Each structure stands twice: as C-alpha cells, then as structure tokens.
C-alpha cells in the first residue's frame, strides 16, 4: 500500500507515519507476534505505571486494543462510503472506563492478537479504490483510509 500523503492525515499523524520504512502490511503482520512477546517479557511489570496518573502496561495494551478497534471501524466506514461524520474518541476516558487494570495480561494479549489477525483480513480485503477513500470525522477533519491502515502500534 502507498504511504498516505500529508493532506490525508492530521499533523500529529506524521509522528507515526515517519517511523516506518517498510510495507505496512508486513509491519502489522509482524506485530501480531512481536507486540505480544514484548508484553509477555514484561509481565512482571504489567501493573506498573512510572508515575501517578500514568497508564500501566496493561492499560497501554488496552489502549492499543481500543485504538485498533476504532481505526478498523473507521476504515470500514470509509471503505463503504459512509456519508456521516464519525465521532472522535478520548483515549484517556476510554482507558479510565475500561477496567484494563483488573484484567489478566494474558487475556489482553490474546485479545490483541485475535483482533489484529481479524483486522489484517479486513485490510487485505480492500482494493486500491477502497484504500484511497476518505471520510469525515465529526471534528471536521478529513481522513484517509491509507492513514488508518498505515498506523502500526509504535
């Protein structure tokens, strides 16, 4: 898939887009294995937060899961030519209300792996026309499917 153009994503997206230099599907597929392994290697720190009010490792993984779900929904909407603006999401409120800290790390890891595998089926099913479609967020921001499908979890 071609790299998204700067007019297809918000300014903050450049922080992520600039970090990868390989084909995005290769990175997303690789992360299906590497991200769970990273969290497994740090299981003893699953409930650790480096400061008061900061996320624990379980909450970070939960955030990745939530973001994966939100972006997959947006990709689906844009691919299907949804005309309605889509809502944004407040990642801090999502984490606060999700109770990730009460869940087992292994369950979160399995959830991420299953979700990523399912999303890869979605991404690979889209043709170039569907990947090049754009949609609108409620905040008035125009977004591209190439942007959403090019954001590996950094």
């Amino acid at each position: 898939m071609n790299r998204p153009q700067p007019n297809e994503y918000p300014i903050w997206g450049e922080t992520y887009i600039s970090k990868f230099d390989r084909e995005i599907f290769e990175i997303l597929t690789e992360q299906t294995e590497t991200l769970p392994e990273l969290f497994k290697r740090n299981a003893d720190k699953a409930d650790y937060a480096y400061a008061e009010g900061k996320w624990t490792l379980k909450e970070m993984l939960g955030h990745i899961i939530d973001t994966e779900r939100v972006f997959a929904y947006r990709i689906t909407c844009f691919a299907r030519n949804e005309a309605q603006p889509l809502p944004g999401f407040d990642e801090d409120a999502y984490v606060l209300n999700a109770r990730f800290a009460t869940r087992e790390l292994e369950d979160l890891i399995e959830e991420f792996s299953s979700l990523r595998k399912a999303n890869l089926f979605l991404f690979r099913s889209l043709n170039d026309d569907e990947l090049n479609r754009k949609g609108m967020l409620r905040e008035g921001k125009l977004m591209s499917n190439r942007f959403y499908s090019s954001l590996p979890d950094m």
Side-chain angles (χ1 to χ4, degrees):
M1 174 184 14
N2 294 330
R3 181 183 293 264
Q5 298 302 305
N7 66 337
E8 296 178 315
Y9 56 85
I11 293 170
W12 59 261
E14 183 60 29
T15 302
Y16 301 98
I17 299 293
S18 66
K19 291 191 182 338
F20 69 91
D21 58 357
R22 294 182 286 147
E23 208 281 324
I24 189 59
F25 290 132
E26 178 185 332
I27 296 170
L28 292 169
T29 301
E30 181 181 283
Q31 286 179 341
T32 304
E33 302 295 327
T34 59
L35 197 62
E37 287 304 317
L38 175 66
F39 280 93
K40 286 177 186 176
R41 281 194 312 270
N42 291 285
D44 60 322
K45 299 179 185 111
D47 294 308
Y48 172 76
Y50 70 88
E52 183 69 33
K54 299 298 180 182
W55 295 346
T56 65
L57 289 182
K58 288 195 292 189
E59 289 169 327
M60 282 191 283
L61 181 53
H63 165 66
I64 291 168
I65 291 167
D66 277 350
T67 302
E68 184 102 356
R69 279 199 173 98
V70 168
F71 283 11
Y73 173 71
R74 289 176 179 175
I75 288 168
T76 302
C77 289
F78 294 174
R80 308 301 191 253
N81 279 322
E82 175 60 62
Q84 298 299 313
L86 303 179
F89 80 108
D90 179 341
E91 65 274 5
D92 289 317
Y94 273 45
V95 169
L96 181 67
N97 290 291
R99 300 179 286 91
F100 295 124
T102 66
R103 296 187 51 198
E104 295 297 322
L105 179 63
E106 192 58 43
D107 288 344
L108 290 166
I109 290 170
E110 184 63 32
E111 184 176 348
F112 167 79
S113 296
S114 298
L115 183 60
R116 173 58 62 87
K117 288 174 187 174
N119 286 338
L120 284 168
F121 279 103
L122 167 65
F123 301 157
R124 289 187 178 115
S125 77
L126 301 176
N127 63 30
D128 286 340
D129 185 48
E130 292 163 327
L131 283 170
N132 285 317
R133 289 185 184 149
K134 296 175 177 62
M136 189 68 68
L137 297 183
R138 187 169 293 147
E139 300 84 23
K141 297 175 187 162
L142 182 68
M143 302 295 281
S144 160
N145 259 351
R146 287 193 300 160
F147 170 68
Y148 284 124
S149 55
S150 67
L151 283 181
D153 305 302
M154 299 291 179

